Amino acid sequence: MSGPAALAPLPTSVIVVSHGRPTHLRLCLTALAQQDHPDFEIILVADPEGLQQCPDLPLKRVGFDVPNISRARNLGLAQAAGSVIAFIDDDSVAEPTWLARLTAPFADPNVIAATGWTRDRDGFRWQSRTQRITRQGLPRNLPTAPQPSLLPPEDGEPVGTLGTNCAFRATALRQIGGFDPIFAYHLDESDVNMRMAAVFPQGLTAVVPDAQVIHARAGSARRDAASVP
């Protein structure tokens, strides 16, 4: 990437929400600790068992024992000091270059959001690449290209930012009020994409193919063993 996006990434807060997945969370936090981003903090919003993981890491730890990802993310947002707010799920593992690549496009003041490409649990297949969110809240795949791209909303369809591999400009995310707690588990990020597109119709979303995580899609109270790959 050349131009403004090649500048040093902005100070970033990475928010991880965890509930009932201590083993996956340990791996996620270990990978985050190895990121090559020069200026970031990690905010962990988790249940009591989750808060005990990786005690040697200098995290901001926020206790929250309710299975509502939007409320948990908003608690993390309230503690975030970064100019950019990134999100990754507790059952995902980020490549060491993930955060620096994901946040570099925010050097362009027109960029309000960013997303990377997310691999499925085997590390080879893709779970999500470049998508838009339809007016019905469903993902629509776009043609893929290996280079980063900056895309505005189009015909009422924002670029989709998968919740386990995304970032937002802090001022923009706070301006729309963060996440809507009515979305306790699913479509929370799609709702944010739709509201940000409405408030910032000229705002750009960066799609960064090389900003990659592997998503285990682990089981939970809302996704039983039959729904786990």
Side-chain angles (χ1 to χ4, degrees):
M1 183 179 296
S2 61
L7 301 175
L10 297 175
T12 298
S13 300
V14 183
I15 297 175
V16 185
V17 170
S18 186
H19 192 270
R21 292 175 177 167
T23 301
H24 286 284
L25 176 61
R26 282 198 300 274
L27 188 58
C28 175
L29 294 176
T30 299
L32 289 178
Q34 300 177 34
Q35 294 296 302
D36 64 358
H37 191 293
D39 186 6
F40 75 101
E41 63 176 2
I42 302 172
I43 302 171
L44 173 62
V45 184
D47 56 12
E49 189 172 12
L51 293 179
Q52 298 174 12
Q53 306 308 311
C54 300
D56 56 317
L57 294 182
L59 314 179
K60 289 182 178 178
R61 299 173 191 263
V62 181
F64 186 66
D65 199 12
V66 177
N68 186 308
I69 193 168
S70 292
R71 288 179 59 189
R73 284 175 168 169
N74 286 340
L75 288 174
L77 179 60
Q79 299 296 320
S83 301
V84 176
I85 313 295
F87 295 91
I88 187 171
D89 288 352
D90 61 354
D91 60 345
S92 290
V93 175
E95 292 186 349
T97 56
W98 167 69
L99 191 60
R101 289 174 172 174
L102 180 68
T103 58
F106 288 93
D108 182 335
N110 297 307
V111 172
I112 60 171
T115 189
W117 283 8
T118 299
R119 295 182 179 273
D120 218 330
R121 67 183 312 191
D122 61 10
F124 294 98
R125 293 172 295 171
W126 296 106
Q127 179 186 349
S128 176
R129 289 190 281 181
T130 307
Q131 298 178 330
R132 287 194 183 275
I133 303 297
T134 69
R135 294 177 184 272
Q136 292 74 36
L138 301 174
R140 178 172 67 84
N141 291 329
L142 299 179
T144 59
Q147 67 273 12
S149 55
L150 302 179
L151 303 174
E154 186 176 89
D155 297 328
E157 295 185 354
V159 176
T161 60
L162 192 67
T164 192
N165 187 353
C166 64
F168 302 94
R169 193 173 297 278
T171 52
L173 185 57
R174 291 190 170 107
Q175 184 171 332
I176 68 164
F179 291 80
D180 188 340
I182 197 171
F183 297 99
Y185 174 71
H186 183 49
L187 296 179
D188 49 295
E189 67 270 32
S190 299
D191 171 69
V192 164
N193 297 152
M194 298 292 282
R195 288 188 287 120
M196 290 192 79
V199 175
F200 305 102
Q202 304 303 316
L204 301 177
T205 296
V207 179
V208 189
D210 285 342
Q212 297 185 10
V213 304
I214 297 175
H215 188 200
R217 291 197 281 168
S220 69
R222 297 173 181 267
R223 183 165 62 205
D224 61 21
S227 300
V228 175

